[in-house]
C-alpha cells in the first residue's frame, strides 16, 4: 500500500516539477531585494512577480515580510518570483510615495499590474499562495455566488468539458490554496468553479451539508447532453488537500468501467495504484449487454471509492465456480482475488463500503473450507460436478454457434411449437455446468441436422423463464423434449452425447411402429432402405409380424412402440400374407424379425409375451449385442439385466482367437445366465480405475474376470496360465458354481445409486411455484395449451437480460445476468452436498 502511494505521490511531484520548470536567476535568494529601477527593468513579458515596496525604516512590515519570504519557495514552483523593493526615502513615485501604498503587495505579469493585495490579507503562506494563484487564474477559476450562475456554467460545459466545483468557507485558507494549486495543474483540462457562499452549497445537494468544512464536487458535464438535467456530481470524501484533490481527479478521469480480458491477478488499474479496491463483474457473451449496464450502475455508485471492471468468462480461463458473479481485488500485495456469489448490486456496494463485510466473507470461506474437510465422505456429487465444471471451463473460449438454435421466451414458446412439425426444446440453466456442457453437444446436433425439413431446434433458459419450465414439468436441468405440432411430446432420457441425441431426434420423426403395407416394403425396411430418412443410420431394426388372428399381440406391440419411440426403429406388418414373410425366417406370427448390419443378418424371434411392458423388456434385450464392448454409454443397459459379468479386460482390441472363443460362450446355452463382454482400456480408460478397485494395482492384460455385482460382489480371476477357450472357461465356471474357486476380491455392499438425489432447481429459485409430479420420461404426454391471462396462477417473471437489452431498459438491481439469485438465499447454493 505504501509503495503504491509513493508511486502516485511521486508522479504528482513530477507534474508540479514540469509546471514550474521556469529558469531562475542564478543563485539569488528566493526573496530578492531590488531597487525600484532594478525591479521594473527586470520584468519579463508573461512572467509573474509579487512585489512589496518598503522603506528600510518600516518596523511594522517585518511580520509581513517573514510570511512573504516563507511563501517565496512555494510561489517559485509556479514560476512566480517574490521581490522586496527597497524604496529610497526621497522616492515619491506611485508605489513608494504614499504610506497606504506601502501597506500593499502588488502582483505583476510582465509590466502589467494584475492585482493589489492589502498586506493584512496575506497573513500566512497559505493565504499568499491562494490569493496570488486566484488572481493569476482568473479565467481558469470562476467565482460564483448564486445557483443560477453555477447552472449557467454547467449548461455551457455540457457535452464539452467537466467541472470541478469547490466550496471553501473563506479565501486564503489551506483548502483555498489546495484548490488553486489543483487549478494551476488541471485548469486546462477541467473548468474550476469556486464559491464561499454557504447557501449555494446547500442548493447543490440533497442533504444538509456542513458549511464549516470545505467541499469539492466533480461534475460530469461532458457526459451530459440534456440542458434540463443537472450534471451528475461525485463528491470527494477526503479533506481538501492538494494530494487528495489530485487523487480524486485521477479517479474521475479513469474509465467508468474497464473491460479486461486477462487473469484478474494480473490486472492493474489507476484505482489499485491509488490504494482502492477493484470490483470485477463476471460476464459472458449471452448476457454481455445486461452485465455492462450492471457494471456501469455499480461504477457510478462506487465512483471515487473503488474501480469496476467487466471480465468476460468467454475470454479468460478461470478455474472458479460457474455461479461466481463478482470478484474483488484489494490493493494489498499478496492478497489473492476473492471470487464471490452476491445477490444484487447493493451487496456489491456494501462489500466495498463496509470493510468488515470482507472479513465476514473471508471467515465464511474459511468455515466452508473446514466443512469440506469434515465432509469428504459426502462429496461424491461435488467431485462429479467439479469434473463437469472443469470440462466446461477448459472449452469456454470456444464460441458456440447458437444462431441455428431458436431462443424461446414466455411470449414465443407456444407459438413456436405450432410452426413446425417437430420442435426439439432444450431446457437448461445458463449458469449450471452440466447444462453448459449439454448446450455444446446441442449445437453440434444443430449442425448435423441443419437443413432437415420439419425439425426446429430451440432452447429455453429456465433461469430467465422459470414459469415456462414449470408449466412444462421441467424440474431438472438439462431436459430435452420433442413436441409434435399441436399434439404430444416425448422426453429424451438417454446419454447426452451428440450421436445419441441426434439419433433420438431422427428416430422420433418416424412413426413407431411404422406400418408397412406390402411385403416389398417390409423387405426394404429390413434392408435399411425404407424409410429413406433413416438409410444413413446403421442400427438394428425391429419388425413385428402379425396375422389377423393376433390382434391382442399387435395392440401390445403398438403400445410398446409408443414407449420406445426415439430409441428404437420399429416396423409392423399384419397383412394377409404375413405368414409367408414369417416362414421365410423360420418363425410363425406373432414374431419379431431383427435386422442387424444393414439387413445382412435377419433373426426371427417368437413373440410369446402379450403385455406391452413384457414386449418392451424383450425388445430391449434382443437389441443388446451378443458379445458387446462395454463403454460408459452402454454399461447401464447391461447392468439393468442384473446378471453376472464375464468380462475380458484388454489393453486395446482383443485377439481374433479370444474373440471367437468368447463369442461361442456368448451364443451358447449359458447365455441366459450371464453377460459375456469385453472392455478396451484404451477406449474406456476408466476401466483402469475399476481394476484398481478389484486388485489395488492393474494386473497384466488381457484378463478374464467373473464379477457378480448383484449377489455378494465377488470377483473371480480366470487362471492366467490357461488359454481363453470355450472349454476352459466353461470348466472354470463349473468350479465356481461348485464353490471350488477363491474370489480375488469382494466388493462392498453399497448400492450403485447416484450419491445424492437430483435436486429441483426451480424450487431453489425465488419464484413461488406449485410442486408438480415428475412426468415419466418414457411416456408421451399431451402438450399443455397456453392458459388465459385470467387463469394463470404462475408468478410473472421479469424478462431475460437479452430481452432487456433489446428494450433498452434501465439496469436492474439484481445480478441475474451473471449468476443465480438463489446463491444468496440462506447459503443454499454453497454446495450440492448440503442440499
Amino acid at each position: 500500500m505504501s509503495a503504491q502511494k509513493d508511486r502516485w505521490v511521486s508522479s504528482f511531484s513530477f507534474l508540479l516539477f514540469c509546471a514550474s520548470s521556469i529558469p531562475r536567476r542564478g543563485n539569488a535568494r528566493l526573496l530578492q531585494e531590488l531597487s525600484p529601477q532594478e525591479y521594473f527593468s527586470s520584468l519579463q513579458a508573461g512572467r509573474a512577480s509579487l512585489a512589496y515596496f518598503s522603506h528600510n525604516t518600516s518596523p511594522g512590515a517585518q511580520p509581513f515580510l517573514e510570511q512573504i519570504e516563507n511563501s517565496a519557495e512555494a510561489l517559485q514552483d509556479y514560476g512566480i518570483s517574490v521581490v522586496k523593493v527597497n524604496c529610497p526615502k526621497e522616492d515619491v513615485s506611485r508605489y513608494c510615495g504614499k504610506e497606504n501604498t506601502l501597506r500593499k503587495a502588488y502582483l505583476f505579469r510582465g509590466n502589467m499590474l494584475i492585482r493589489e493585495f492589502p498586506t493584512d490579507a496575506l497573513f500566512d503562506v497559505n493565504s499568499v499562495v491562494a490569493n496570488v494563484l486566484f488572481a493569476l487564474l482568473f479565467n481558469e477559476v470562476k467565482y460564483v455566488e448564486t445557483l443560477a450562475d453555477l447552472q449557467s456554467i454547467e449548461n455551457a460545459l455540457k457535452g464539452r468539458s467537466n467541472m470541478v466545483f469547490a466550496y471553501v468557507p473563506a479565501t486564503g485558507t489551506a483548502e483555498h490554496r489546495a484548490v488553486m494549486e489543483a487549478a494551476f495543474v488541471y485548469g486546462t483540462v477541467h473548468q474550476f468553479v469556486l464559491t464561499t457562499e454557504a447557501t449555494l452549497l446547500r442548493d447543490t445537494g440533497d442533504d444538509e451539508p456542513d458549511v464549516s468544512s470545505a467541499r469539492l464536487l466533480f461534475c460530469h458535464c461532458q457526459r451530459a447532453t440534456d440542458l434540463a438535467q443537472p450534471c451528475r456530481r461525485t463528491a470527494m470524501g477526503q479533506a481538501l488537500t492538494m494530494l487528495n484533490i489530485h487523487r480524486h481527479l485521477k479517479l474521475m478521469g479513469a474509465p467508468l468501467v474497464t473491460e479486461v480480458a486477462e487473469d484478474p491477478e494480473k490486472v492493474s488499474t489507476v484505482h489499485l495504484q491509488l490504494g482502492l479496491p477493484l470490483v470485477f463483474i463476471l460476464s459472458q457473451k449471452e448476457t454481455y449487454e445486461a452485465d455492462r449496464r450492471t457494471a456501469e450502475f455499480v461504477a457510478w455508485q462506487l465512483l471515487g471509492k473503488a474501480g469496476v471492471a467487466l471480465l468476460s468468462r468467454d475470454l479468460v480461463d478461470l478455474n472458479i465456480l460457474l455461479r461466481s458473479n463478482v470478484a474483488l481485488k484489494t490493493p494489498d500485495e499478496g492478497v489473492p482475488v476473492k471470487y464471490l456469489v452476491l445477490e444484487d448490486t447493493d451487496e456489491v456496494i456494501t462489500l466495498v463500503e463496509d470493510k468488515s463485510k470482507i472479513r465476514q466473507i473471508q471467515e465464511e470461506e474459511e468455515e466452508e473450507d473446514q466443512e469440506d474437510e469434515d465432509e469428504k465422505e459426502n462429496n461424491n456429487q461435488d467431485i462429479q460436478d467439479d469434473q463437469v465444471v472443469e470440462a466446461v471451463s477448459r472449452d469456454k473460449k470456444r464460441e458456440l454457434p447458437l444462431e441455428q438454435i431458436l431462443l424461446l421466451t414466455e411470449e414465443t414458446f407456444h407459438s413456436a411449437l405450432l410452426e413446425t412439425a417437430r420442435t426439439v426444446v432444450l431446457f437448461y440453466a445458463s449458469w449450471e455446468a452440466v447444462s453448459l456442457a449439454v448446450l455444446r453437444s446441442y449445437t453440434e446436433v444443430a449442425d448435423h441436422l441443419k437443413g432437415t425439413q420439419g425439425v426446429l431446434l430451440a432452447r429455453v433458459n429456465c433461469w430467465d423463464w422459470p414459469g415456462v419450465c414449470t408449466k412444462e414439468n421441467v424440474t431438472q436441468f438439462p431436459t430435452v423434449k420433442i413436441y409434435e405440432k399441436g399434439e404430444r411430446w416425448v422426453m429424451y432420457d438417454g446419454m447426452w452425447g451428440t450421436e445419441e441425441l441426434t439419433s433420438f431426434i431422427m428416430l422420433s420423426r418416424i412413426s413407431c411402429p411404422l406400418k408397412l403395407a406390402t411385403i416389398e416394403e417390409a423387405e426394404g425396411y429390413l434392408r435399411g432402405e425404407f424409410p429413406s430418412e433413416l438409410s444413413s443410420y446403421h442400427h438394428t431394426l425391429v419388425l413385428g409380424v402379425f396375422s389377423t388372428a393376433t390382434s391382442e399381440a399387435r395392440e401390445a406391440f403398438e403400445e410398446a412402440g409408443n414407449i420406445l419411440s426415439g430409441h428404437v426403429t420399429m416396423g409392423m406388418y399384419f397383412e394377409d400374407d404375413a405368414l409367408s414373410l414369417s416362414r421365410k425366417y423360420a418363425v410363425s406370427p406373432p414374431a419379431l424379425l431383427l435386422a442387424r448390419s444393414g439387413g445382412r443378418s435377419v433373426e426371427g424371434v417368437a413373440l410369446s409375451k402379450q403385455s406391452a411392458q413384457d414386449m418392451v423388456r424383450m425388445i430391449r434385450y434382443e437389441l443388446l449385442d451378443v458379445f458387446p464392448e462395454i463403454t460408459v454409454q452402454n454399461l447401464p443397459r447391461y447392468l439393468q439385466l442384473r446378471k453376472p459379468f464375464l468380462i475380458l479386460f484388454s489393453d486395446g482390441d482383443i485377439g481374433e482367437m479370444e474373440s471367437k472363443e468368447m463369442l461361442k460362450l456368448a451364443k451358447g446355452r449359458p447365455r441366459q445366465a450371464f453377460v459375456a463382454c469385453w472392455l478396451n482400456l484404451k477406449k474406456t480408460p476408466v476401466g483402469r480405475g475399476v481394476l484398481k478397485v478389484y486388485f489395488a494395482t492393474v494386473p497384466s492384460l488381457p484378463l478374464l474376470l467373473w464379477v457378480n455385482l448383484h449377489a455378494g460382489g465377488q470377483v473371480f480371476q480366470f487362471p492366467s496360465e490357461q488359454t481363453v477357450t470355450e472349454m476352459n472357461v466353461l470348466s472354470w465356471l463349473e468350479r465356481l458354481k461348485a464353490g471350488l474357486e477363491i474370489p480375488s476380491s469382494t466388493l462392498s455392499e453399497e448400492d450403485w445409486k447416484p450419491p445424492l438425489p437430483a435436486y429441483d432447481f426451480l424450487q431453489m429459485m425465488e419464484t413461488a411455484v406449485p410442486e408438480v409430479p415428475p412426468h415419466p420420461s418414457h411416456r408421451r404426454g399431451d402438450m399443455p395449451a397456453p392458459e388465459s391471462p385470467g387463469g394463470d396462477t404462475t408468478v410473472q417473471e421479469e424478462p431475460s437480460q437479452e430481452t432487456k437489452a433489446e428494450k433498452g431498459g434501465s439496469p436492474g438491481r439484481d445480478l441475474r445476468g451473471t449468476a443465480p439469485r438463489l446463491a444468496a438465499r440462506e447459503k443454499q447454493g454453497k454446495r450440492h452436498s448440503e442440499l
Side-chain angles (χ1 to χ4, degrees), residues 441-463:
S441 297
Y442 198 56
T443 58
E444 295 172 0
V445 172
D447 187 58
H448 288 321
L449 300 181
K450 185 178 180 181
T452 303
Q453 296 295 322
V455 177
L456 172 67
L457 266 65
R459 58 191 171 101
V460 175
N461 186 350
C462 289
W463 169 239

Side-chain angles (χ1 to χ4, degrees), residues 81 354 443 505:
S81 59
D354 186 0
T443 58
I505 295 172

Side-chain angles (χ1 to χ4, degrees), residues 757-803:
Y759 47 110
D760 189 339
F761 291 95
L762 293 179
Q763 291 296 325
M764 298 163 62
M765 295 182 180
E766 291 181 348
T767 308
V769 296
E771 291 189 4
V772 289
H775 198 88
S777 60
H778 60 276
R779 299 298 296 260
R780 289 174 179 257
D782 292 331
M783 184 182 69
E787 298 184 23
S788 63
D792 188 359
T793 57
T794 304
V795 175
Q796 178 71 30
E797 287 298 310
E798 56 183 295
S800 68
Q801 295 290 1
E802 295 171 58
T803 307

Side-chain angles (χ1 to χ4, degrees), residues 263-265 280 282 311 313 318-321 324-328 336-341 361 365:
D263 188 339
E265 296 286 359
F280 294 88
L282 305 188
L311 175 63
R313 290 175 176 270
L318 296 177
N319 186 23
I320 61 172
L321 294 176
S324 298
N325 55 4
V326 173
L328 180 68
V337 175
K338 295 290 183 183
Y339 293 93
L340 311 167
V341 182
I361 291 174
E365 289 181 349

Side-chain angles (χ1 to χ4, degrees), residues 506-516 520-539 541-543 568-572:
M506 291 301 295
L507 293 183
S508 66
R509 299 176 64 206
I510 308 302
S511 298
C512 189
L514 178 65
K515 296 178 182 179
L516 306 170
E520 288 74 19
E521 281 190 0
E523 293 285 3
Y525 171 82
L526 292 174
R527 290 192 300 269
E529 300 170 358
F530 181 82
S532 58
E533 302 97 296
L534 301 180
S535 58
S536 60
Y537 289 84
H538 304 291
H539 53 272
L541 303 172
V542 179
L543 176 62
V568 181
T569 304
M570 295 173 61
M572 183 170 65

Side-chain angles (χ1 to χ4, degrees), residues 13-24 47 75-80 184:
S13 301
F14 177 73
L15 261 177
L16 289 182
F17 171 76
C18 293
S20 61
S21 55
I22 301 175
R24 302 180 184 181
R47 177 76 183 270
L75 290 176
Q76 283 283 44
D77 289 335
Y78 300 101
I80 304 168
F184 187 90

Side-chain angles (χ1 to χ4, degrees), residues 490-511:
V490 61
M491 183 184 293
Y492 178 65
D493 60 358
M495 302 295 288
W496 290 115
T498 303
E499 183 179 348
E500 292 85 354
L501 189 51
T502 304
S503 176
F504 179 80
I505 295 172
M506 291 301 295
L507 293 183
S508 66
R509 299 176 64 206
I510 308 302
S511 298

